[in-house]
Amino acid sequence: MDHYDSQNNYMQPEEDWDRDLLLDPAWEKQQRKTFTAWCNSHLRKAGTQIENIDEDFRDGLKLMLLLEVISGERLAKPERGKMRVHKISNVNKALDFIASKGVKLVSIGAEEIVDGNAKMTLGMIWTIILRFAIQDISVEETSAKEGLLLWCQRKTAPYKNVNIQNFHISWKDGLGFCALIHRHRPELIDYGKLRKDDPYTNLNTAFDVAERFLDIPKMLDAEDIVGTARPDEKAIMTYVSSFYHAFSGAQKAETAANRICKVLAVNQENEQLMEDYEKLASDLLEWIRRTIPWLENRAPENTMQAMQQKLEDFRDYRRLHKPPKVQEKCQLEINFNTLQTKLRLSNRPAFMPTEGKMVSDINNAWGALEQSEKGYEEWMLNEIRRLERLDHLAEKFRQKASIHESWTDGKETMLQKKDYESATLSEIKASLKKHEAFESDLAAHQDRVEQIAAIAQELNELDYYDSPSVNARCQRICDQWDNLGALTQKRREALERTEKLLETIDQLYLEYAKRAAPFNNWMEGAMEDLQDTFIVHTIEEIQGLTTAHEQFKATLPEADKERQAILGIQNEISKIMQTYHVNMSGSNPYTTITPQEINKKWDHVRQLVPRRDQALTEEHARQQQNERLRKQFGAQANVIGPWIQTKMQEIGRIAIEMHGTLEDQLNHLRQYEKSIVNYKPKIDQLESDHQQIQEALIFDNKHTNYTMEHIRVGWEQLLTTIARTINEVENQILTRDAKGISQEQMNEFRNSFNHFDRKKTGMMDSDDFRTCLISMGYNMGEAEFARIMGIVDPNRLGFVTFQAFIDFMSREAADTDTADQVMASFKILAGDKNYITADELRRELPPDQAEYCIARMAPYMAPDAVPGALDYMSFSTALYGESDL
C-alpha cells in the first residue's frame, strides 16, 4: 500500500504493505521482534517500554508517547479513560499526527489498532519507521531506501565476500553487519577472522557488539535470519537504519576529510598534468625531428620492388606510426587546455611550458613534418610511375621472349632429324603436311621476334638497369631464328625427294595387296572347307559333298598361276629398294600377307586335298549302312505303332460299352491282356534295332513317323490301361456284390456316366458330375455338393471315375436300408437277449472274422453290463462306424 503521496514517494512499491494477504509467519516473527526493539529504543528515553506490540499500543497512550519522543514535538493531551471510545480517541490523535507529517495512511483505522489487529499494527509501526528513521537518509542525491542501500554499499565496498544488493539475502551471512561496524569502529571486530560459511557466529558477533558498544538494541535473531530463505526486508532495513544513525556523526567527519583530500588530489592532478605535458611534448618533438630527414630522402631505387617497399614503409608510417602521434598531439592540446582551465578555476597562475615546447612550437614542427610528408609522397608516386613503365616493358620482353623460347624449344632438333629415311609413304606425306604447317607457324612468329627486338631497343633507350642481360637474350633469339629458317628449307627438299621414290614403291605395294588379299581369302576358304568336319545324315548329302570336292580340284592349276604372278610383284619391289638404297621400316602398308605366308598356305592346300578324298569315301560307305538300318526300323515301327493304337481303342470301348455281364467283360479283358503280353517279343526286337540306330548316331528316319519313345510310351500306356480297366471291372463286381446291385442297375449307372462323360475320357469333371446329380433328382447347395465331391474325389483331382461314381450311387441307395440290416443281424446273433457277447461271435463266425469283429467291438464294451457284451447301438457302431449310421 502507498504510505506516502507522490510528493513524498520515498518508498518503492515492493515495500508496500499488503493488507489482503497474511504475513509470512517467519517474517511476522522477525517484524514483531525488530519493531518492538526499535520502539523500546525510543520509549526507554521516556522511561517506559512495550512487551507486546499489538497489545501495548491498543489504548494509544504509548503510541502517542513514542511519536513525541521520535519527533520531539508535543501531541494533544491523551484521554485517560479505559473505555473503547477513549482508546479510539487516543489512537486517532496519533494517526492524525502521523498524517500531519505528510504520510498518507490508507486503510489503517483507529478501530483496527484498538482491536489489536497485528497486521495493521505492524504496518503502522513500519510507516512510522520509514517516516522518522529512513526518509531523511540521503547519500549522493539518493534518499530513503535507495540512499540507505547506497550507504551500505559504499561502506562495505572494500570488504571481500560482501556484496550488498538488497535488504534480505545480502545480509544472511552476517558479514555485511560486521563490515559496517569494522568500517567505523575497527577496534571492535577482528574482521580477518570471520568466515563466510559461519553465519551464526558472524550475526551474533555483530548483534552483540552493536548492543554493547554502539547502543543499538538487538532487534534480530541469528536463527531467524539464517533459517529463513529470504529474511524480512523491513526488519533488516529497520535494524540497518539504526547503524546509519549511530554512525552519522562519524560520517560528517569523514565528509570533511574527503573535501580536504579532494583539494589535495586536484593539486596533485594539476602537477601530474604539467609533467605529462612536458614529457609528451618532448617525445613528440623528438619523433618529428627524427622523421623529417627520412621523409626528405629522395634517393631513387632501381627496382619496382625496392620502390614498393618504400611505399609500403610510407603506408606503415601513415597507418601505424603517425596516427598515435596525431592522437598524442591532440591529447597534448587537450591536456594543455584542461590544465589551464583547472588552474584558472582553482585561482592558480597559468601554466607556462619550457622554451620551445609551447603548443605553437609543436604546431610549427608538425606543419614542417606534413610539408615534408607531402613532398615525399609526390616524389614516390612519380618514381613509381617511372619504374612501372620500365617494369612493364621488361615484363613484356620476358613474356614474349619466354613464349618464343618455349615455342622454339626442340624445333632445331626436330628439323635436323632424318626420320624420312625409314618412313613409309603415308608417313612422308604426313611429314610434308606437318612441315607445311610448321612453315606457316614459323612465318607467323616473325612478328613476335621483331617485337622482342623493338622492346629491347626501347629498354636500352630508357637506360634500364638490366639492359645487358636483355640485349644478350635478344641476340640469342635472333641468331636462333636465322638458323631455324635455313634448317626448314633443307628439310623440305629432303622430304619432297623421298616422297617421289616412295610413291613408286607404294603403287607396287597396292597392286600386290589387291591381288594377294582375294587369293589369300580363297586359300583360307579352301583350307577351311577341306578341314571342315562334315556331318551328313543321308546318302544324298554325302554325294553332294563329293561332287563339290571334284569341282574344287579342277580350279587348282589356275590358282597356281595367280600365286606366281603375286610373288613376281614382290620381287620387283625388292629390286627397287636395293637399287635406290631405300631403308623402309615395316612391311606392306596395305596388307599383312607376306609371300612366305602365301607359299605356306598353298602347300597346305595341296596336302589337304587327298585327305578330303579319303574322308568322303569313308563317309559314303557309312551312310549306306545307316540307310539300311533306317529302313529296317521303319518297317517294324509302322506295324507296331498302329497295333498299339488299335488295342487302346478296343480296351476303351470294352470299358465304356455294356455288353453282357461284368464277368463277361472281365474275361474279355483278360484275353486282351494275354494277347498283349504275347506281343512283347516284337517290342524287344524293335528296341534292339533302335539301339543300333542310336549307336550309329542316326537322328531322323524318313521311312516312319514313329520314334522309339512313342512306341515305349504307347506300350506302357497299353499295359497300364488294360491293368486299370481289369481292376475297375473287378472293383465294380465287388461293389455290386457288396451292395446288392443288380445288373440292370449297373447298366443304368454306366449309361448315366457315359452320357455325362461329354469328353469321353472315362472320367467326369466336377461340372459334368453336378449336372448328372441334378438330372437324377438331387437338390443341393454349394456346401452339399462340396461334401459329395469330398467323397467321390478325396484327393481333389478335379474329376470323378466310374468306380467312385458307382460307389457313391450304391452307397446312397443302401443308406436307407442300413439300420434295418444292422437290427436284423443283431437279432439273429443275440436271439432273445438284448446284447451279444464275444464268445457268441467266436461260436457263430469263422475264427479270423470273429477276432477281427471282437477287436473292433472292444472299445464299445459296456463296463457296467454283462462282461464282454455289446448292446445294439454299440454293436452297429463297432461294425459300421458312427458316420455310416
Side-chain angles (χ1 to χ4, degrees), residues 616-677:
L616 290 173
T617 302
E618 293 174 354
E619 183 61 26
H620 188 272
R622 193 175 69 84
Q623 288 300 325
Q624 288 178 334
Q625 174 64 18
N626 290 347
E627 185 66 15
R628 186 187 64 76
L629 291 175
R630 287 192 187 95
K631 291 179 180 179
Q632 179 178 332
F633 179 85
Q636 296 184 64
N638 289 336
V639 173
I640 295 174
W643 182 85
I644 292 175
Q645 293 177 352
T646 301
K647 292 302 178 181
M648 288 286 292
Q649 293 172 357
E650 291 176 353
I651 293 171
R653 285 196 301 271
I654 294 173
I656 295 175
E657 297 176 357
M658 297 294 295
H659 297 293
T661 64
L662 292 175
E663 285 77 1
D664 294 339
Q665 290 182 7
L666 182 61
N667 291 331
H668 196 185
L669 288 171
R670 285 174 175 166
Q671 292 176 2
Y672 263 83
E673 183 181 26
K674 184 176 180 181
S675 65
I676 290 169
V677 172

Side-chain angles (χ1 to χ4, degrees), residues 60 322 359 395 472 613 723 852:
K322 186 178 178 182
V359 173
E395 181 62 26
D613 290 337
Y852 169 76

Side-chain angles (χ1 to χ4, degrees), residues 760-777:
K760 304 306 177 183
T761 60
M763 296 176 289
M764 286 190 291
D765 59 25
S766 59
D767 292 336
D768 292 341
F769 182 58
R770 182 195 293 270
T771 304
C772 179
L773 292 179
I774 293 174
S775 69
M776 297 175 69

Side-chain angles (χ1 to χ4, degrees), residues 829 836-855 857-858 861 867-868:
L829 295 175
I836 186 170
T837 66
D839 294 337
E840 290 174 339
L841 287 174
R842 291 188 179 94
R843 185 172 63 250
E844 298 294 338
L845 297 178
D848 55 342
Q849 294 181 353
E851 295 304 323
Y852 169 76
C853 185
I854 292 170
M857 292 167 54
M861 296 289 183

Side-chain angles (χ1 to χ4, degrees), residues 522-541:
W522 177 85
M523 288 192 298
E524 288 181 348
M527 288 188 294
E528 183 178 356
D529 292 340
L530 292 171
Q531 296 179 96
D532 186 24
T533 303
F534 50 82
I535 299 177
V536 294
H537 303 288
T538 64
I539 191 68
E540 292 81 2
E541 290 178 356

Side-chain angles (χ1 to χ4, degrees), residues 243-368:
F243 282 90
Y244 174 82
H245 292 293
F247 295 133
S248 59
Q251 184 177 3
K252 292 177 182 179
E254 183 180 353
T255 301
N258 288 339
R259 288 173 182 168
I260 294 172
C261 290
K262 186 180 291 186
V263 172
L264 295 175
V266 169
N267 291 337
Q268 291 176 342
E269 184 179 355
N270 291 339
E271 292 175 358
Q272 186 63 44
L273 284 175
M274 294 176 189
E275 294 178 4
D276 292 345
Y277 177 85
E278 290 287 338
K279 184 178 186 306
L280 193 58
S282 299
D283 294 343
L284 185 58
L285 289 171
E286 177 61 22
W287 178 80
I288 293 172
R289 185 188 63 78
R290 291 195 313 269
T291 304
I292 288 177
W294 175 69
L295 294 173
E296 291 178 347
N297 182 14
R298 300 292 190 270
E301 298 291 344
N302 289 330
T303 64
M304 188 66 180
Q305 183 178 4
M307 204 64 211
Q308 286 177 341
Q309 183 60 47
K310 274 195 172 185
L311 181 60
E312 186 63 29
D313 293 341
F314 182 71
R315 288 173 178 168
D316 288 343
Y317 157 78
R318 281 277 188 85
R319 184 175 59 252
L320 302 175
H321 303 297
K322 186 178 178 182
K325 299 304 177 182
V326 173
Q327 183 64 32
E328 289 179 12
K329 178 177 175 295
C330 180
Q331 188 62 44
L332 191 67
E333 294 176 356
I334 292 172
N335 291 350
F336 182 80
N337 294 332
T338 301
L339 177 58
Q340 300 292 42
T341 300
K342 288 185 175 182
L343 291 173
R344 186 172 59 254
L345 292 176
S346 59
N347 296 322
R348 297 287 300 279
F351 170 64
M352 183 60 66
T354 58
E355 185 177 358
K357 296 181 181 179
M358 294 291 293
V359 173
S360 58
D361 298 330
I362 293 172
N363 287 335
N364 292 335
W366 190 265

Side-chain angles (χ1 to χ4, degrees), residues 15-243:
E15 288 101 17
D16 292 354
W17 190 270
D18 189 350
R19 293 176 181 76
D20 300 324
L21 298 173
L22 293 175
L23 284 173
D24 182 275
W27 286 8
E28 182 178 355
K29 177 182 177 182
Q30 293 176 20
Q31 288 183 16
R32 281 178 177 274
K33 182 169 185 177
T34 302
F35 292 176
T36 300
W38 183 84
C39 292
N40 286 334
S41 69
H42 294 284
L43 287 174
R44 67 185 179 185
K45 298 176 183 177
T48 185
Q49 64 179 12
I50 61 172
E51 298 295 336
N52 190 327
I53 195 168
D54 50 346
E55 291 292 334
D56 293 348
F57 286 135
R58 291 179 63 185
D59 59 3
L61 294 177
K62 291 187 178 180
L63 179 59
M64 294 177 67
L65 182 60
L66 175 64
L67 292 173
E68 288 180 347
V69 172
I70 62 178
S71 66
E73 302 179 16
R74 295 289 298 177
L75 275 67
K77 186 176 180 180
E79 299 288 343
R80 295 297 179 179
K82 300 295 184 179
M83 299 178 63
R84 177 178 175 79
V85 64
H86 297 137
K87 297 179 181 179
I88 291 174
S89 175
N90 290 338
V91 173
N92 276 328
K93 291 176 182 179
L95 296 178
D96 291 341
F97 178 79
I98 295 172
S100 69
K101 298 301 179 181
V103 179
K104 184 179 180 181
L105 300 171
V106 179
S107 301
I108 296 180
E111 291 82 359
E112 295 168 324
I113 303 302
V114 172
D115 292 339
N117 188 317
K119 184 173 68 173
M120 292 304 175
T121 302
L122 292 173
M124 177 190 67
I125 298 302
W126 173 241
T127 301
I128 294 171
I129 293 171
L130 283 175
R131 172 60 184 82
F132 294 101
I134 298 175
Q135 178 184 359
D136 295 335
I137 296 175
S138 177
V139 177
E140 296 185 9
E141 298 182 357
T142 60
S143 60
K145 176 184 176 182
E146 290 75 10
L148 183 60
L149 181 61
L150 181 59
W151 178 80
C152 294
Q153 292 172 342
R154 293 288 185 269
K155 296 299 181 181
T156 60
Y159 294 86
K160 64 178 182 179
N161 297 329
V162 178
N163 183 19
I164 304 301
Q165 298 295 329
N166 49 56
F167 286 107
H168 36 83
I169 60 175
S170 294
W171 303 88
K172 285 191 67 172
D173 58 8
L175 292 178
F177 295 112
C178 293
L180 286 177
I181 297 172
H182 185 268
R183 180 63 183 272
H184 295 89
R185 298 288 299 277
E187 74 281 3
L188 298 180
I189 294 180
D190 187 356
Y191 190 84
K193 293 184 178 181
L194 300 178
R195 298 201 322 267
K196 187 176 181 65
D197 58 353
D198 190 6
Y200 287 102
T201 300
N202 300 338
L203 290 168
N204 287 325
T205 297
F207 296 161
D208 294 341
V209 170
E211 186 174 28
R212 290 175 56 195
F213 299 102
L214 303 179
D215 198 26
I216 298 175
K218 188 176 182 181
M219 301 181 185
L220 301 170
D221 285 333
E223 292 76 8
D224 295 338
I225 294 176
V226 176
T228 306
R230 174 174 167 155
D232 181 63
E233 188 176 51
K234 299 175 179 63
I236 298 294
M237 285 179 63
T238 301
Y239 188 55
V240 172
S241 66
S242 299
F243 282 90

